[in-house]
Amino acid sequence: MLTKINETATFLAGKMQYLPKVGIILGTGLGELATQITERQEIPYQDIPNFPVSTVEGHSGKLIIGKLGTTQVLAMQGRFHYYEGYSMKEVTFPVRVMKALGVETLLVSNAAGGMNPDFEIGDLMIISDHINTFPEHPLRGKNEPSLGTRFPDMSQAYPASLRDMAKAIAAKHGIKVVEGVYVGTSGPTFETPAEYYYFRTIGGDAVGMSTVPEVIVAVHAGIRVFAMSIITDLGVAGKVVEVSHEEVQQIANQAQPKMTLIMKELIAKL
Ligand code: HPA
């Protein structure tokens, strides 16, 4: 794996004038931030050595490198989901490459189903913690000490310092944000009412099919993480309604200007 990471990082570094400080993984319908990257270069995943290729509708699959404000960023438009059939090593490979390129902070977004009864559709949730229910762990197998420690501490996976900065930015703009625990699950089914109830009972505020593997690998690598969910549907007792991928994308699109603003201003402060 080390050879592959270095090969990919070397390929990408060869295309960059400056190395990125901030990595961004843009989730469902959240591509707007990517359009604001200046001095940009786009590299389709299929042109990047060792990169898996994204397949799902609505995930276009390219790396965008350039600047947001004065900060050098590397953004993934389209991520690799476990439910697509990728292994956890593949799902998290881009985060390894980000680390090799010198990324210090990773910003992640996703769409998620809300289970906290105080949440409303369209809310932005700052992720304060997560619960990993994926059936495969991205760090399973021999640990490579140069990438990180065998038993990584996860007590501050989502540092309060970044969350506080985001909350202050949201308050300044009058943007409502909520905060909570994200349950990562494999999908691709949305939850049954009993599963939403179960995930709520074990301590979750929202549930989705991504983010947790990438965050685990980022924390292992010593990258600090900030992550946000758009609550696109509700799995609250008595309020569970039918969900479709199209509705999830539509709600995510409506909420994205607010998330874009928060992420952009946060990047300026990093
Ligand atoms: N469950 C899982 N993943 C999701 C959901 C959900 O309700 N909404 C958006 N992604």
Side-chain angles (χ1 to χ4, degrees):
M1 183 166 67
L2 272 183
T3 314
K4 280 189 176 179
I5 293 166
N6 290 331
E7 192 178 272
T8 308
T10 304
F11 169 85
L12 291 172
K15 299 198 169 286
M16 297 172 186
Q17 212 179 339
Y18 306 100
L19 291 177
K21 277 185 60 179
V22 173
I24 310 171
I25 303 177
L26 299 155
T28 305
L30 307 174
E32 194 177 297
L33 189 60
T35 66
Q36 305 194 9
I37 297 175
T38 56
E39 300 173 35
R40 56 194 285 130
Q41 259 189 85
E42 296 186 0
I43 312 170
Y45 291 158
Q46 65 260 28
D47 297 347
I48 305 175
N50 308 319
F51 246 55
V53 174
S54 188
T55 54
V56 177
E57 233 181 289
H59 299 267
S60 44
K62 58 189 176 203
L63 270 191
I64 304 169
I65 47 189
K67 280 186 167 176
L68 273 171
T70 57
T71 308
Q72 205 65 33
V73 302
L74 180 154
M76 287 180 69
Q77 183 150 45
R79 57 148 64 89
F80 304 106
H81 295 90
Y82 185 69
Y83 62 74
E84 293 176 86
Y86 300 112
S87 71
M88 279 301 186
K89 294 277 183 289
E90 290 173 315
V91 168
T92 57
F93 181 75
V95 180
R96 293 287 180 212
V97 173
M98 287 182 190
K99 177 67 184 181
L101 288 168
V103 163
E104 293 164 4
T105 311
L106 177 66
L107 308 183
V108 189
S109 71
N110 61 51
M115 300 177 298
N116 183 321
D118 296 335
F119 288 1
E120 291 169 31
I121 288 179
D123 276 353
L124 298 180
M125 184 184 91
I126 293 174
I127 301 180
S128 57
D129 203 348
H130 74 221
I131 297 174
N132 179 17
T133 77
F134 283 92
E136 187 190 339
H137 198 286
L139 302 180
R140 193 173 83 92
K142 187 175 179 297
N143 187 60
E144 174 49 53
S146 65
L147 298 179
T149 182
R150 170 74 288 187
F151 300 108
D153 174 63
M154 294 294 291
S155 65
Q156 292 172 65
Y158 304 85
S161 53
L162 295 180
R163 285 185 277 129
D164 288 346
M165 282 158 72
K167 281 184 258 183
I169 294 164
K172 186 179 83 184
H173 293 285
I175 297 171
K176 179 192 175 194
V177 286
V178 295
E179 195 168 14
V181 175
Y182 176 92
V183 179
T185 187
S186 73
T189 44
F190 291 111
E191 285 63 39
T192 63
E195 286 165 344
Y196 282 124
Y197 179 72
Y198 164 67
F199 285 143
R200 177 67 184 153
T201 306
I202 64 170
D205 292 294
V207 56
M209 307 174 197
S210 66
T211 303
V212 166
E214 294 114 318
V215 170
I216 288 172
V217 166
V219 172
H220 181 243
I223 297 175
R224 59 182 186 159
V225 174
F226 174 76
M228 268 180 120
S229 299
I230 294 181
I231 304 300
T232 55
D233 54 278
L234 292 176
V236 176
K239 284 201 213 168
V240 179
V241 290
E242 213 177 299
V243 211
S244 72
H245 183 57
E246 291 67 32
E247 280 165 334
V248 165
Q249 284 192 304
Q250 195 195 336
I251 303 288
N253 282 336
Q254 285 166 9
Q256 74 168 330
K258 292 185 286 183
M259 186 184 280
T260 303
L261 185 62
I262 295 172
M263 292 283 193
K264 233 178 116 172
E265 292 203 9
L266 183 62
I267 291 166
K269 290 176 191 291
L270 294 176

